[in-house]
């Protein structure tokens, strides 16, 4: 999966013919694989062997449509999770990561490439950073770091929804 090719479809509905064709060419058939379970407002298409998963959000939640029941509108491609080797049982994503970061980059390298984050989470006993988030060209980049190496283990690239 090519992140540059896919990011142009972020924020678009699965009913978008161009996106459906692009995903089909990548071996993803949204008409068969994308299932919104009862009570959920997000659905995932996972490719553990290719190191990524896509997240789709129901239109009512994506646009904060209070009066629209969940499941009545289309799902929107909200983002993609890109995984380092072994994280959550995934193989490492082999494509380009946002902002030129690499899974082998230390947190200081990520900061050099992406700048200061606009959000971070410190929850570890050693006061190390668990995750950080940036706005990058109108998209969200969220990086979760390894406890041991302080290198990225999950990178999320997505579009902010109305509820964000």
């Amino acid at each position: 999966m090519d992140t540059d090719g896919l990011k142009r479809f972020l924020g678009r509905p699965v009913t978008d013919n161009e996106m459906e064709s692009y995903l089909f060419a990548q071996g993803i058939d949204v008409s068969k694989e994308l299932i919104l379970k009862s009570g959920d407002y997000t659905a995932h298409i996972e490719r553990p062997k290719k190191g990524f998963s896509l997240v789709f959000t129901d239109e009512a939640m994506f646009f904060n449509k209070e009066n629209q029941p969940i499941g009545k509108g289309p799902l929107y491609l909200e983002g993609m999770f890109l995984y380092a080797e072994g994280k959550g049982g995934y193989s490492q994503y082999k494509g380009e990561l946002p902002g030129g970061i690499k899974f082998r980059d230390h947190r200081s390298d990520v900061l050099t490439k992406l700048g200061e984050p606009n959000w971070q989470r410190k929850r570890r006993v050693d006061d190390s950073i668990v995750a950080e988030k940036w706005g990058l060209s109108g998209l969200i980049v969220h990086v979760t770091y390894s406890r041991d190496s302080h290198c990225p283990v999950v990178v999320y690239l997505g579009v902010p929804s109305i509820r964000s």
Side-chain angles (χ1 to χ4, degrees):
M1 178 65 59
D2 171 28
T3 53
D4 281 336
L6 188 62
K7 73 181 177 183
R8 73 178 184 264
F9 298 111
L10 290 169
R12 288 165 72 173
V14 296
T15 54
D16 181 295
N17 291 331
E18 185 184 0
M19 179 172 63
E20 187 176 12
S21 295
Y22 175 81
L23 290 173
F24 191 77
Q26 302 294 316
I28 298 171
D29 186 347
V30 292
S31 68
K32 292 181 180 170
E33 295 184 60
L34 194 57
I35 299 165
L36 184 64
K37 294 178 184 171
S38 179
D40 287 346
Y41 61 86
T42 60
H44 295 260
I45 293 179
E46 299 178 280
R47 292 293 187 271
K49 290 181 181 178
K50 293 188 177 185
F52 73 90
S53 70
L54 305 177
V55 61
F56 296 82
T57 301
D58 180 79
E59 178 182 55
M61 289 299 288
F62 191 78
F63 290 111
N64 198 24
K65 293 182 172 184
E66 296 176 11
N67 298 320
Q68 179 175 313
I70 304 261
K72 293 296 180 188
L75 295 172
Y76 282 72
L77 178 58
E78 188 165 353
M80 61 187 99
F81 291 93
L82 311 168
Y83 295 89
E85 184 65 40
K87 184 65 177 174
Y90 279 74
S91 296
Q92 184 158 306
Y93 176 72
K94 303 289 186 212
E96 294 293 317
L97 298 177
I101 63 174
K102 308 282 185 209
F103 286 117
R104 68 178 178 270
D105 285 346
H106 187 272
R107 179 178 170 264
S108 60
D109 300 316
V110 173
L111 293 175
T112 298
K113 292 175 181 181
L114 298 181
E116 286 301 312
N118 38 4
W119 175 89
Q120 63 182 206
R121 174 181 289 162
K122 293 183 197 178
R123 293 247 174 131
R124 294 186 179 132
V125 176
D126 66 359
D127 206 34
S128 64
I129 304 297
V130 174
E132 295 177 305
K133 182 168 64 172
W134 293 262
L136 188 67
S137 302
L139 298 174
I140 295 169
V141 176
H142 184 280
V143 175
T144 303
Y145 298 102
S146 162
R147 177 183 311 268
D148 301 321
S149 68
H150 306 288
C151 295
V153 289
V154 179
V155 177
Y156 173 81
L157 178 65
V159 62
S161 67
I162 300 292
R163 71 181 196 292
S164 293

